[in-house]
Amino acid sequence: MLLPAVCIVWQTAMIILFGVFIRYNEEADTHWVEHRHTKNISSDIENDFYYRYPSFQDVHVMIFVGFGFLMTFLKRYSFGAVGFNFLIAAFGLQWALLMQGWFHSLDYTDGKIKIGVENMINADFCVAGCLIAYGAVLGKVSAVQLLVMTLFGVTLFAVEEYIILNVIHARDAGGSMVIHTFGAYYGLSISWMLYRPNLDQSDRLHGSVYHSDVFAMIGTLFLWMFWPSFNSAITDHGDGQHRAAINTYLALAATVLTTVAISSLFQKHGKLDMVHIQNATLAGGVAVGTAAEFMLMPYGALIVGFCCGIISTLGYVYLSPFMEKYLKIQDTCGIHNLHAMPGVIGGIVGAITAASATESVYGVEGLINTFDFKEDFKDMVPSRQGGHQAAGLCVALCFAVGGGIAVGCILRLPIWGDPADDNCFDDETYWEVRKHSLQQ
Amino acid sequence: MLLPAVCIVWQTAMIILFGVFIRYNEEADTHWVEHRHTKNISSDIENDFYYRYPSFQDVHVMIFVGFGFLMTFLKRYSFGAVGFNFLIAAFGLQWALLMQGWFHSLDYTDGKIKIGVENMINADFCVAGCLIAYGAVLGKVSAVQLLVMTLFGVTLFAVEEYIILNVIHARDAGGSMVIHTFGAYYGLSISWMLYRPNLDQSDRLHGSVYHSDVFAMIGTLFLWMFWPSFNSAITDHGDGQHRAAINTYLALAATVLTTVAISSLFQKHGKLDMVHIQNATLAGGVAVGTAAEFMLMPYGALIVGFCCGIISTLGYVYLSPFMEKYLKIQDTCGIHNLHAMPGVIGGIVGAITAASATESVYGVEGLINTFDFKEDFKDMVPSRQGGHQAAGLCVALCFAVGGGIAVGCILRLPIWGDPADDNCFDDETYWEVRKHSLQQ
Amino acid sequence: MLLPAVCIVWQTAMIILFGVFIRYNEEADTHWVEHRHTKNISSDIENDFYYRYPSFQDVHVMIFVGFGFLMTFLKRYSFGAVGFNFLIAAFGLQWALLMQGWFHSLDYTDGKIKIGVENMINADFCVAGCLIAYGAVLGKVSAVQLLVMTLFGVTLFAVEEYIILNVIHARDAGGSMVIHTFGAYYGLSISWMLYRPNLDQSDRLHGSVYHSDVFAMIGTLFLWMFWPSFNSAITDHGDGQHRAAINTYLALAATVLTTVAISSLFQKHGKLDMVHIQNATLAGGVAVGTAAEFMLMPYGALIVGFCCGIISTLGYVYLSPFMEKYLKIQDTCGIHNLHAMPGVIGGIVGAITAASATESVYGVEGLINTFDFKEDFKDMVPSRQGGHQAAGLCVALCFAVGGGIAVGCILRLPIWGDPADDNCFDDETYWEVRKHSLQQ
């Protein structure tokens, strides 16, 4: 009875809060035609919708099909993977529109949050952080726990994002710090708090079957293909979006080759492991997130991708078993390898790239536009920006670990209906699975 | 021999009719460059292609992957689901270009239909109506019957659409009335006419297996994710498309939460049912179709989604078994719950939203643009528009039920090669299924 | 050890070459803002990114999900299909950016290749040629052989493309000649060189299972749906892209009907064969590639699609067994039917359509723009253009067959770790397949 109650009550709360706070912004409102005349905008095509909507849809696919299917690899947890992912993303994006709206889109003249396509993208981004965290606890928590995790995750996300982007004035277009570092350490901290010493990690349910691995590749590929849209979705119009897409495209391509190399090198008989191909191939997209909009240069993007493919795959081979055995962190999807390490690398790459920016490479106007050295920050210089970037990374880490431990405490309360150890990784705990359906 | 003959003859007819009637419109013709100069259009980016093509591609995915895979849930009818869906959509879109073209895009100077990207979207929309109808009879009809159903379905659609949009001047951007209400009741009427009293609805073939449920989620998610594009694809440039996308995005999010709530509440042990998650989560997109382009307000969209998740899921729990037992309507995919009821609700929501439109909310120009109070309808007022919307809904219902019964009569003729009761829901009836392939 | 070495060394070489040669073009560089002022470009929306990025993403999906999943139909080679496709595409696109860049995007002032979104699309196109070739040898070669095939394939592609498009001045927007004819005959020639007389073509591994056929339909549908984007991705802004999309949309629709007709006609009991539905339905997109940007007219597109559905399906029924038995060409995916024949037809259709172009149909400016009768070719006339198109087709064929035989010789060296006959079509040769995972 808890799940229906939470869904109905929270959704009702959303309706009330939306009623009080949320309206269309001037580009989505019927007054757009008057706004166009006032601002002397020549054409409807200048509406931000046409700059960002294709990217939004790609990001949307990453959130629901990408994350959802990536987690279907377990032999008997595909319903939970794709279904709970669906549920928490649908809730999270509403809560994110409110939380992020209060920080970024509040119109002080009438106290309303004005939303448009960019808010939808940001809400999807915010949700991404929580879905990453889901990867660490996949199969070990109930739907209600996931909803609680998402409620607090989105809240923490909105605050750290505001501090990193607005207070510290770090740039983070693709969210290496804000999304991936935060989401991954948030999830890992929760998983640490929820440690199950007697969990059956045998092949009985913890492994994959042939077709579940193919389903997971659907998730992998949609994440991989649309990552250029993810990293460019909210960058500056024009060259900003263009460059971010190119950098991400290249970083991801390089990651595939080094992932294959390391996977083959460290398996017996040189065989490839689907776990690596499904996950580590994406690390380059994570790591190029912050710097994607900078003049990272095509070869710079390749170098980032090259390194992350190696590090991420090695993480699956060595670090995940180590973390489980010695640090008591059970990380079902290996998000430490896919999001945490590449996210931190991305933050560092961003800091270095920013610190080494020069007017000769960027041009005078280009430097100002790219790093937004305007208004309060018009005296900023690249080297100091590099420091701010590094500070942003620290903020993301603190919020993630601190928030994760606090939320983990809440999730340990014995009221959430979490599964017994023997029922982990098993859809039958929460889903109607038809008789005989498992024998095909 | 009937199927090959129908395919070849009808496709040949299409070629002849296209040869006589269909040409490119001025935006797709090589004379575009001259047209630009004449009309003083400043840039190629003003070509409607750039406003609508990304939405078109999303709609296209919904038609072929969305509808196709949503129906793969049956354990042994995945080929028929995705394959026949493919066939009838490919035929239907050609016939729709002609039928809709005669009503909407006929150039009276030369008697030709001039097509562009908007015609392609509308053709896909028209096909959607027939694919919805397919959901009611899935597994119980032959490919030829489906083609006949599509031929008449598209024809009826084009006429009711013309009456609703042009004669009655109702607005229906996302097609709650024109597409969903029509398509669903058309299919249900046909299914009623084709009632099979001795149909084996046991689990032998009528149920799903684990992986077929995961395949169906591919369909669900692509429909869910791209629905904002569906509802905004042919709305006004600028704020119209922008607002329709936002409203749909929000309505669908709310639907997911209430669907989960009701599914869990009405199953024993509080477990979730994949049938509900696959289908009822989409009801919000259907119900917000008509009003998506209006100033429904974000909270309004959430309310619509909230209600439809509940109603649609309850429909699966109570109404579908009732309809089968007492009304003799066998509805394989439950389209009554996913399209019919939400479609009618969408029509009503549209009528109410239109009737309550005011100049203070829309602005003077905004009101005229949104409701197209121009030319013949320049004296229209919102309250009367609300009445016209309601009239539109009635027209859709009449065409659907009347047309469905008539077409159902035709489909009962013993010449179409429909399967025996024992061969329903079985791909082996119409597809070469390799030996041993079922045992994996 | 060979695979890791090749991946690491080649990826390192890419980084070095990118460091030396590749930079952002003026639309992706931070100097865009200055470039805008210099060139008097009124708005960021004029950046080529907004004209082409949605098409790029669609093409990207075709390359990775489309080609990858289309080849998952074999019962035990889905990992290899989607995984090796992923690997060679990720490598190939980097090498293609360099090879095509030297020919087309070299800035002679500083010796750098300047890349933007169009280069990314062209790199994906180039990769498509190699993925087509993979279809012929699917299941019979090692990953290293595929990488070697891709290295040479991309190199040959870039040269033949330069000769066809720039030297001969043929037009080939959708690559019927440059991509499909080349890729298919390149792969077939290699397969001929690698002929395995004792290959077990029995159903044990060579066939499909029920769910692998459904997975393959994911590939089919994403190729089919996004083909209009493929053929219009690099055509002229405005009417060029618009018309190419319409023509492809129509050709593909017609192909579906004739494929179904022929499949049913030539199977016993009139049943449909998934192999035909998965493959031959795409032939229309291939065949309309060259002429898609011309004034082919909607009925012309339908005729092309009509014929190719028939020819391609008949190819699967009669030609593939014949080629294997008498010509010693083992073509796993039947690329001769899907790409080779339709590609040649596409080249011929392009030549005829170009030769019959007139000013009355195209308009004076339209004719010049469409066929690029400018600069060195300002005296070109349509009839001669037709001859050049035909010459282009011959060049593609020569490069494909010549290059394929040469590369085939290289691939016969006994150093590449290709599988024994008994291990063909089996993922266990190259992938870690978990115990018991095959029994579900």
Side-chain angles (χ1 to χ4, degrees):
Chain A
M1 293 305 94
L2 190 57
L3 179 60
V6 169
C7 287
I8 295 288
V9 173
W10 290 14
Q11 186 58 53
T12 307
M14 287 300 121
I15 292 174
I16 296 167
L17 289 166
F18 269 60
V20 176
F21 286 107
I22 297 208
R23 297 293 179 272
Y24 309 113
N25 74 12
E26 61 210 359
E27 301 193 288
D29 190 284
T30 43
H31 291 84
W32 159 252
V33 60
E34 294 157 28
H35 177 73
R36 264 185 60 189
H37 297 157
T38 322
K39 290 278 180 72
N40 208 11
I41 295 166
S42 63
S43 161
D44 279 332
I45 199 94
E46 291 286 330
N47 193 303
D48 201 33
F49 183 80
Y50 301 104
Y51 284 96
R52 305 210 184 274
Y53 188 72
S55 308
F56 160 70
Q57 276 294 8
D58 293 349
V59 171
H60 218 42
V61 173
M62 293 174 73
I63 298 298
F64 291 90
V65 163
F67 282 105
F69 273 85
L70 184 60
M71 298 192 286
T72 56
F73 72 101
L74 289 174
K75 70 179 72 160
R76 283 293 157 237
Y77 210 71
S78 300
F79 292 1
V82 79
F84 291 155
N85 182 79
F86 195 16
L87 172 65
I88 62 176
F91 166 70
L93 64 87
Q94 297 177 60
W95 181 229
L97 280 173
L98 284 159
M99 281 303 302
Q100 295 181 312
W102 282 314
F103 282 114
H104 297 284
S105 305
L106 198 59
D107 181 341
Y108 291 98
T109 61
D110 60 2
K112 305 292 186 199
I113 296 163
K114 303 291 173 65
I115 63 170
V117 65
E118 196 169 335
N119 299 72
M120 289 157 69
I121 296 170
N122 275 314
D124 272 20
F125 277 9
C126 184
V127 162
C130 298
L131 301 182
I132 291 165
Y134 180 24
V137 297
L138 180 75
K140 299 175 295 185
V141 293
S142 68
V144 177
Q145 283 180 305
L146 287 171
L147 283 166
V148 172
M149 226 174 103
T150 304
L151 179 77
F152 289 109
V154 167
T155 312
L156 288 161
F157 183 102
V159 178
E160 59 107 37
E161 182 191 42
Y162 178 75
I163 294 173
I164 293 172
L165 301 188
N166 296 61
V167 178
I168 297 182
H169 193 259
R171 304 283 294 173
D172 197 12
S176 298
M177 306 182 286
V178 168
I179 301 168
H180 297 286
T181 303
F182 169 78
Y185 284 106
Y186 178 66
L188 291 168
S189 304
I190 291 173
S191 189
W192 181 64
M193 293 299 292
L194 300 181
Y195 181 65
R196 290 168 178 264
N198 304 314
L199 190 62
D200 177 18
Q201 300 264 34
S202 74
D203 257 7
R204 192 181 66 86
L205 286 171
H206 197 248
S208 63
V209 290
Y210 193 72
H211 279 165
S212 71
D213 269 327
V214 182
F215 277 119
M217 280 305 290
I218 296 174
T220 300
L221 287 176
F222 275 101
L223 287 169
W224 194 92
M225 296 180 302
F226 288 163
W227 215 296
S229 297
F230 191 93
N231 285 350
S232 69
I234 55 160
T235 52
D236 291 340
H237 290 175
D239 64 292
Q241 291 194 269
H242 205 148
R243 190 167 55 252
I246 295 173
N247 286 334
T248 310
Y249 172 83
L250 292 173
L252 284 163
T255 308
V256 176
L257 274 91
T258 52
T259 298
V260 168
I262 303 299
S263 181
S264 170
L265 203 58
F266 285 81
Q267 291 298 108
K268 56 179 186 270
H269 311 303
K271 289 187 182 185
L272 296 167
D273 189 328
M274 278 304 267
V275 171
H276 306 158
I277 307 301
Q278 282 159 10
N279 291 281
T281 49
L282 299 166
V286 174
V288 86
T290 302
E293 61 176 336
F294 302 157
M295 292 290 279
L296 180 61
M297 293 300 158
Y299 65 88
L302 289 183
I303 292 171
V304 172
F306 186 96
C307 298
C308 284
I310 294 173
I311 291 167
S312 183
T313 313
L314 288 177
Y316 278 97
V317 176
Y318 293 118
L319 209 53
S320 289
F322 174 88
M323 284 172 63
E324 167 139 15
K325 200 162 174 193
Y326 297 104
L327 306 183
K328 299 189 187 311
I329 298 176
Q330 291 158 326
D331 178 5
T332 313
C333 297
I335 62 165
H336 189 264
N337 313 307
L338 169 48
H339 296 281
M341 290 193 295
V344 171
I345 292 170
I348 295 167
V349 169
I352 295 169
T353 317
S356 58
T358 60
E359 280 191 1
S360 68
V361 171
Y362 283 75
V364 178
E365 272 193 276
L367 194 65
I368 294 170
N369 287 340
T370 304
F371 292 99
D372 209 19
F373 290 159
K374 290 168 190 169
E375 292 157 31
D376 289 354
F377 296 90
K378 68 172 190 294
D379 300 326
M380 194 76 147
V381 291
S383 55
R384 246 184 60 214
Q385 178 70 31
H388 285 221
Q389 296 287 137
L393 182 59
C394 297
V395 172
L397 280 166
C398 294
F399 266 80
V401 175
I405 289 172
V407 173
C409 286
I410 297 169
L411 293 180
R412 286 175 72 168
L413 298 175
I415 57 170
W416 307 117
D418 46 339
D421 284 359
D422 276 353
N423 295 331
C424 283
F425 312 121
D426 191 348
D427 272 334
E428 289 193 63
T429 316
Y430 297 113
W431 298 83
E432 202 66 43
V433 180
R434 274 154 195 77
K435 238 186 208 152
H436 305 308
S437 90
L438 302 182
Q439 301 162 2
Q440 302 247 347
Chain B
M1 293 304 94
L2 190 58
L3 179 60
V6 169
C7 288
I8 295 288
V9 171
W10 289 14
Q11 186 58 54
T12 308
M14 287 299 121
I15 292 173
I16 295 167
L17 288 167
F18 270 60
V20 176
F21 287 107
I22 297 207
R23 298 292 179 272
Y24 309 113
N25 74 11
E26 62 210 357
E27 302 195 286
D29 189 284
T30 44
H31 290 84
W32 159 252
V33 60
E34 293 157 29
H35 177 74
R36 265 185 59 190
H37 296 158
T38 321
K39 290 278 181 73
N40 209 12
I41 295 166
S42 63
S43 161
D44 279 332
I45 198 95
E46 291 286 331
N47 193 303
D48 201 34
F49 183 79
Y50 301 105
Y51 285 95
R52 305 211 185 272
Y53 188 72
S55 308
F56 160 69
Q57 275 294 8
D58 293 349
V59 171
H60 217 40
V61 172
M62 293 174 73
I63 298 298
F64 291 91
V65 163
F67 283 105
F69 272 85
L70 184 60
M71 298 192 287
T72 57
F73 73 100
L74 289 174
K75 70 179 72 159
R76 285 292 158 238
Y77 210 70
S78 300
F79 293 0
V82 80
F84 292 155
N85 183 81
F86 194 16
L87 172 66
I88 62 177
F91 165 70
L93 65 86
Q94 298 177 60
W95 181 229
L97 281 173
L98 283 159
M99 281 302 303
Q100 295 181 311
W102 282 315
F103 283 114
H104 297 283
S105 306
L106 197 60
D107 181 341
Y108 291 99
T109 61
D110 58 2
K112 305 292 186 198
I113 297 163
K114 302 291 172 67
I115 64 169
V117 65
E118 197 170 332
N119 299 72
M120 289 157 69
I121 296 170
N122 275 314
D124 273 20
F125 277 9
C126 183
V127 162
C130 298
L131 300 183
I132 291 165
Y134 179 24
V137 297
L138 181 73
K140 300 176 292 185
V141 292
S142 69
V144 177
Q145 283 180 305
L146 287 170
L147 283 166
V148 171
M149 226 173 104
T150 305
L151 178 77
F152 289 110
V154 167
T155 312
L156 288 161
F157 183 102
V159 177
E160 59 107 37
E161 182 191 42
Y162 179 76
I163 294 174
I164 294 172
L165 302 188
N166 296 60
V167 178
I168 298 184
H169 193 260
R171 303 284 293 173
D172 196 11
S176 296
M177 306 181 286
V178 169
I179 301 170
H180 297 286
T181 303
F182 169 78
Y185 285 106
Y186 178 65
L188 292 167
S189 304
I190 291 174
S191 189
W192 181 64
M193 292 299 292
L194 300 181
Y195 181 65
R196 290 168 177 265
N198 303 314
L199 190 62
D200 176 18
Q201 300 265 33
S202 73
D203 258 7
R204 192 180 66 84
L205 286 171
H206 197 248
S208 63
V209 290
Y210 194 72
H211 279 165
S212 71
D213 269 327
V214 182
F215 277 120
M217 280 304 289
I218 297 174
T220 299
L221 288 176
F222 275 101
L223 287 169
W224 195 93
M225 296 181 303
F226 288 163
W227 215 296
S229 297
F230 191 92
N231 284 350
S232 69
I234 54 161
T235 51
D236 291 339
H237 289 176
D239 64 292
Q241 290 194 271
H242 205 148
R243 190 167 54 253
I246 294 173
N247 286 334
T248 311
Y249 171 82
L250 291 173
L252 284 163
T255 308
V256 176
L257 273 91
T258 51
T259 298
V260 168
I262 302 301
S263 181
S264 171
L265 203 58
F266 285 81
Q267 291 298 109
K268 55 178 185 273
H269 310 304
K271 291 187 181 185
L272 297 168
D273 189 328
M274 279 305 266
V275 170
H276 305 159
I277 307 301
Q278 283 158 9
N279 291 281
T281 50
L282 300 165
V286 173
V288 86
T290 303
E293 62 176 337
F294 302 157
M295 291 290 279
L296 181 60
M297 293 302 157
Y299 66 87
L302 290 182
I303 292 170
V304 172
F306 187 97
C307 299
C308 284
I310 294 173
I311 292 167
S312 183
T313 313
L314 288 176
Y316 279 97
V317 176
Y318 291 117
L319 209 52
S320 289
F322 175 87
M323 284 171 64
E324 167 139 13
K325 200 161 172 193
Y326 297 105
L327 306 183
K328 301 190 185 310
I329 299 177
Q330 292 159 326
D331 178 4
T332 313
C333 297
I335 61 165
H336 189 263
N337 313 306
L338 169 49
H339 297 279
M341 290 192 296
V344 171
I345 292 170
I348 295 167
V349 169
I352 295 169
T353 317
S356 58
T358 60
E359 279 191 1
S360 67
V361 171
Y362 285 74
V364 179
E365 271 192 275
L367 194 65
I368 294 170
N369 286 341
T370 305
F371 292 99
D372 210 21
F373 290 160
K374 292 170 189 167
E375 292 157 33
D376 289 353
F377 296 90
K378 69 173 188 297
D379 299 327
M380 194 77 146
V381 290
S383 56
R384 246 184 60 214
Q385 178 70 32
H388 285 222
Q389 297 287 138
L393 182 58
C394 298
V395 172
L397 280 165
C398 295
F399 266 81
V401 175
I405 290 172
V407 174
C409 287
I410 297 171
L411 294 181
R412 285 174 73 168
L413 298 176
I415 56 170
W416 307 116
D418 47 339
D421 284 359
D422 276 354
N423 296 331
C424 283
F425 313 121
D426 192 349
D427 272 334
E428 289 193 62
T429 315
Y430 297 113
W431 298 82
E432 201 66 44
V433 180
R434 276 157 194 75
K435 240 187 207 152
H436 303 309
S437 89
L438 301 182
Q439 302 162 0
Q440 303 248 343
Chain C
M1 293 306 92
L2 190 58
L3 178 60
V6 168
C7 286
I8 296 287
V9 171
W10 289 14
Q11 186 57 54
T12 308
M14 287 300 121
I15 292 175
I16 296 167
L17 288 167
F18 270 60
V20 176
F21 287 108
I22 297 208
R23 297 292 178 272
Y24 308 114
N25 73 11
E26 61 211 358
E27 301 195 287
D29 190 284
T30 45
H31 291 84
W32 160 251
V33 60
E34 294 158 27
H35 177 74
R36 264 185 60 190
H37 296 158
T38 323
K39 290 278 181 73
N40 208 12
I41 295 166
S42 63
S43 161
D44 279 333
I45 199 94
E46 291 286 329
N47 193 304
D48 201 34
F49 183 79
Y50 301 104
Y51 284 96
R52 304 209 185 275
Y53 188 72
S55 308
F56 161 70
Q57 275 295 7
D58 293 348
V59 171
H60 218 40
V61 172
M62 293 173 73
I63 298 298
F64 290 91
V65 163
F67 282 106
F69 273 85
L70 184 61
M71 298 191 286
T72 58
F73 72 101
L74 289 175
K75 69 178 73 161
R76 284 295 158 233
Y77 209 72
S78 300
F79 293 1
V82 79
F84 292 154
N85 183 79
F86 195 14
L87 172 65
I88 62 177
F91 166 70
L93 65 86
Q94 298 177 60
W95 181 229
L97 280 173
L98 284 159
M99 280 304 302
Q100 295 181 312
W102 282 314
F103 282 114
H104 297 284
S105 305
L106 198 60
D107 181 342
Y108 290 99
T109 60
D110 60 2
K112 306 291 188 199
I113 296 163
K114 303 291 173 65
I115 63 168
V117 65
E118 196 169 336
N119 299 74
M120 289 157 69
I121 296 170
N122 275 315
D124 272 21
F125 277 8
C126 183
V127 162
C130 298
L131 301 182
I132 291 165
Y134 179 24
V137 297
L138 181 74
K140 299 176 294 185
V141 292
S142 69
V144 177
Q145 282 179 306
L146 286 171
L147 283 166
V148 172
M149 227 173 103
T150 305
L151 178 78
F152 289 109
V154 167
T155 312
L156 287 161
F157 183 101
V159 177
E160 59 108 37
E161 182 191 42
Y162 178 75
I163 294 173
I164 293 171
L165 302 188
N166 297 58
V167 178
I168 297 183
H169 193 261
R171 305 282 294 172
D172 197 11
S176 296
M177 305 181 285
V178 168
I179 301 169
H180 297 286
T181 303
F182 169 78
Y185 284 106
Y186 178 64
L188 292 167
S189 304
I190 291 174
S191 189
W192 181 64
M193 292 299 292
L194 301 181
Y195 181 66
R196 289 168 179 265
N198 304 315
L199 189 63
D200 176 18
Q201 301 265 33
S202 74
D203 257 6
R204 192 181 66 86
L205 287 170
H206 197 248
S208 62
V209 289
Y210 194 72
H211 279 164
S212 72
D213 268 327
V214 182
F215 277 120
M217 280 305 290
I218 297 174
T220 300
L221 288 176
F222 276 100
L223 287 169
W224 194 91
M225 295 180 303
F226 288 164
W227 215 295
S229 297
F230 192 93
N231 285 350
S232 69
I234 55 161
T235 51
D236 291 340
H237 290 175
D239 63 292
Q241 290 193 271
H242 205 148
R243 191 167 53 253
I246 295 172
N247 286 334
T248 311
Y249 172 83
L250 292 173
L252 284 162
T255 308
V256 176
L257 273 91
T258 50
T259 298
V260 168
I262 303 299
S263 181
S264 171
L265 202 59
F266 285 81
Q267 292 298 109
K268 55 178 184 274
H269 310 304
K271 291 188 180 183
L272 297 167
D273 189 329
M274 279 303 267
V275 170
H276 306 158
I277 307 301
Q278 283 158 10
N279 292 281
T281 50
L282 300 165
V286 173
V288 86
T290 302
E293 61 176 336
F294 302 157
M295 293 290 279
L296 181 60
M297 294 300 157
Y299 65 87
L302 290 183
I303 293 171
V304 173
F306 186 97
C307 298
C308 285
I310 294 173
I311 292 168
S312 183
T313 312
L314 288 177
Y316 279 96
V317 177
Y318 292 118
L319 209 52
S320 289
F322 175 87
M323 284 172 62
E324 168 139 14
K325 199 161 174 194
Y326 298 104
L327 306 183
K328 299 188 187 312
I329 299 177
Q330 291 158 327
D331 178 5
T332 312
C333 297
I335 62 165
H336 189 264
N337 313 306
L338 169 48
H339 297 280
M341 290 191 296
V344 171
I345 292 170
I348 295 167
V349 169
I352 294 169
T353 317
S356 58
T358 60
E359 280 191 1
S360 68
V361 171
Y362 285 73
V364 179
E365 272 192 274
L367 194 66
I368 294 170
N369 287 341
T370 305
F371 292 99
D372 210 21
F373 290 160
K374 291 168 188 168
E375 293 158 28
D376 289 354
F377 295 91
K378 68 173 189 295
D379 299 327
M380 195 76 147
V381 291
S383 56
R384 245 183 61 213
Q385 178 70 30
H388 285 222
Q389 297 287 135
L393 183 58
C394 298
V395 171
L397 281 166
C398 294
F399 267 80
V401 175
I405 290 171
V407 173
C409 288
I410 296 170
L411 294 180
R412 286 175 72 169
L413 298 175
I415 55 170
W416 306 116
D418 47 338
D421 283 358
D422 275 354
N423 296 331
C424 283
F425 312 121
D426 191 349
D427 272 334
E428 289 193 62
T429 316
Y430 297 113
W431 298 82
E432 202 66 43
V433 180
R434 275 155 195 77
K435 240 187 206 150
H436 304 309
S437 91
L438 301 183
Q439 302 161 2
Q440 302 247 349

